[in-house]
Amino acid sequence: MAGTNNGWDGRGASDTAGGTRSSEAMTGPGPGPDSAAGRCAGGKPRGRRVTAASLVALAALATGCEPGSAEGAQDVPPPARATQAAAPTPSPFLTAPAPATEDAKPRTAPSPSASTAAPAPAPTRARPAPEPSSAPPPRVLMRTGSESDQVRELQARLRQIGHFGRNPTGYYGSVTADSVRSFQAKRRLPVTGSTDAVTWQRLLAMTRVPTAAELEPPTERPVAAPDERCLKGRVLCISKRSRTLAWMNDGKVVSAMDVRFGSEYTPTREGVFEVFWKSRDHVSTLYDTPMPYALFFSGGQAVHYSADFAANGYGGASHGCVNVRDKKKVAALFDQVKNGDKVVVSW
């Protein structure tokens, strides 16, 4: 059998140049990777492998080199995607943004544009601006310059609660006005110094009806012992020491009142005189001042009512006359005294 040659050498190739290789389908599986045809020849088996490798490379480039896209990596499972059931592990340096809710709105809103600006809020009605009251003010009953029995009652009532420190005179002067202001301020009323209806009603509610002694006390100062020249007849007994006037009839005091006198430059004359002229509504031609209920006894000197004395007390002085500050008392005295009645002015 050694001499027989059928062209097959057991490696699948012909010894002759023109021989034809056996079909791979007939010989079964192709040569192994170590065969010469597999390593050096440009046979079909190598070409197929090169073509397969090229396809893998092109596939890798086309897919962007994603993990698991190369051949042989399909068995590696891809990383699991986060789902709502499995929450990701939070990072210690990052905080997930809060969901967009009403509570997560920015505190500082961007400046609105002309087209998106919010309309101005409607004005609140909780506290409207105060407007001047259209109600008329309370009616004024008494004010500075008033003279009446009601003023006397006002002074007596103010004295009951410590706002008026003098005897009532019936004249509304600066002292009375200051007393009314004190009363109004303490009761949180409008402080005007005038007695309106509201002030008067409040005072009435806090005080009682004054007695006759409270309305017409004899004098603020004690009446001095009468001069011996005053003990007989009808006498106006005037004491500079006690600053009082006592209207006496045969040694008995009919009425008494506080008085003041002239200054050291215009002193009231002392002595015994007579009333020679009565002038109810007299006005001084020398000083152009009122001298109501004037009882002249020595030249231009007279006993008369003084509004300044009623208002300011002993802080002032007369021009020589005998000033009386209680208008009601001096008015009654004017009606009782007659021309020719005695006047005694003593120290």
Side-chain angles (χ1 to χ4, degrees):
M1 294 302 293
T4 305
N5 185 3
N6 56 4
W8 177 255
D9 60 2
R11 292 178 292 179
S14 172
D15 290 339
T16 63
T20 304
R21 295 184 181 182
S22 300
S23 172
E24 290 181 356
M26 295 176 60
T27 58
D34 294 333
S35 63
R39 290 195 308 270
C40 301
K44 291 181 180 181
R46 184 178 181 182
R48 289 175 181 173
R49 291 184 180 180
V50 172
T51 302
S54 300
L55 291 176
V56 171
L58 289 176
L61 292 176
T63 56
C65 300
E66 292 182 357
S69 61
E71 184 179 357
Q74 286 83 353
D75 294 337
V76 180
R81 296 185 179 179
T83 62
Q84 295 181 354
T89 303
S91 169
F93 305 104
L94 299 178
T95 303
T101 63
E102 290 296 327
D103 294 337
K105 291 182 180 179
R107 294 183 179 179
T108 303
S111 57
S113 61
S115 59
T116 61
T124 180
R125 296 184 181 179
R127 287 185 177 271
E131 298 181 358
S133 175
S134 58
R139 182 169 63 95
V140 175
L141 305 178
M142 295 165 277
R143 57 165 58 90
T144 301
S146 300
E147 297 180 61
S148 65
D149 289 339
Q150 189 179 21
V151 174
R152 185 182 296 273
E153 182 180 354
L154 168 72
Q155 295 166 336
R157 287 179 180 271
L158 288 172
R159 188 173 185 177
Q160 288 178 7
I161 55 178
H163 286 280
F164 190 76
R166 301 181 180 182
N167 287 336
T169 63
Y171 178 77
Y172 205 118
S174 60
V175 174
T176 304
D178 289 341
S179 299
V180 172
R181 289 189 188 95
S182 175
F183 174 80
Q184 291 170 331
K186 189 170 183 179
R187 272 72 194 180
R188 297 183 179 180
L189 299 173
V191 181
T192 62
S194 298
T195 304
D196 54 38
V198 175
T199 301
W200 179 244
Q201 291 300 322
R202 181 68 64 85
L203 181 62
L204 292 180
M206 298 181 61
T207 56
R208 54 176 172 76
V209 177
T211 64
E214 290 175 327
L215 290 172
E216 299 182 13
T219 57
E220 184 175 300
R221 299 174 180 273
V223 178
D227 187 281
E228 61 181 8
R229 294 171 291 182
C230 301
L231 297 178
K232 293 182 179 180
R234 295 160 58 92
V235 184
L236 291 173
C237 192
I238 302 169
S239 171
K240 285 186 175 181
R241 183 181 299 276
S242 64
R243 291 189 283 189
T244 60
L245 181 155
W247 168 233
M248 301 183 67
N249 194 340
D250 292 333
K252 295 180 66 174
V253 177
V254 179
S255 64
M257 54 205 75
D258 298 322
V259 292
R260 72 177 183 180
F261 307 97
S263 67
E264 59 178 331
Y265 302 105
T266 57
T268 302
R269 291 184 283 271
E270 300 175 13
V272 179
F273 311 93
E274 289 184 357
V275 176
F276 67 90
W277 182 31
K278 295 172 60 175
S279 179
R280 185 179 295 273
D281 299 311
H282 191 78
V283 177
S284 171
T285 57
L286 183 61
Y287 301 105
D288 194 28
T289 55
M291 298 171 57
Y293 308 107
L295 300 170
F296 288 91
F297 61 89
S298 175
Q301 294 186 358
V303 175
H304 68 84
Y305 169 73
S306 170
D308 181 74
F309 184 26
N312 301 313
Y314 290 99
S318 72
H319 294 98
C321 290
V322 179
N323 291 161
V324 181
R325 67 178 176 184
D326 192 320
K327 190 174 184 179
K328 186 176 182 179
K329 287 186 175 182
V330 73
L333 179 67
F334 183 86
D335 292 336
Q336 296 173 33
V337 172
K338 300 177 182 179
N339 289 337
D341 289 340
K342 187 189 295 187
V343 178
V344 177
V345 180
S346 64
W347 185 257

